[in-house]
Amino acid sequence: MTPITSKPPLRPFLVTKDEEGIFRVTVRTTRFNSQGYPLVSSEMLEDEFKTQTAARTFVREQYSAETSQIATK
């Protein structure tokens, strides 16, 4: 069954800044149920970074991610 794609797919990596100013990486996995609806699970990594650039570099090196696969918030 072809998944329903009314929204663009989520980027699998999210870099966020917490209230203490530390950048964290969340890995998101999208799969589809039998009706084609997306089910997204996410896991925040334990690693902490002082800069957004350091977090993005970590994701590119550890997960071989492309720049377009990393979202920031």
Side-chain angles (χ1 to χ4, degrees):
M1 176 175 235
T2 304
I4 298 172
T5 56
S6 61
K7 291 177 28 175
L10 285 176
R11 294 180 184 184
F13 305 99
L14 175 64
V15 176
T16 57
K17 186 176 184 181
D18 66 14
E19 51 284 331
E20 298 166 0
I22 302 295
F23 289 92
R24 305 286 304 266
V25 175
T26 301
V27 179
R28 302 184 289 192
T29 305
T30 303
R31 58 189 178 89
F32 297 89
N33 68 7
S34 60
Q35 284 90 27
Y37 290 99
L39 303 171
V40 179
S41 58
S42 61
E43 176 185 359
M44 185 175 284
L45 303 179
E46 295 291 324
D47 301 298
E48 298 177 346
F49 304 93
K50 291 184 179 183
T51 65
Q52 185 180 53
T53 303
R56 292 173 66 87
T57 301
F58 171 81
V59 171
R60 284 196 306 269
E61 290 176 356
Q62 295 297 315
Y63 293 96
S64 300
E66 299 291 325
T67 304
S68 62
Q69 294 177 311
I70 304 170
T72 56
K73 188 172 183 182

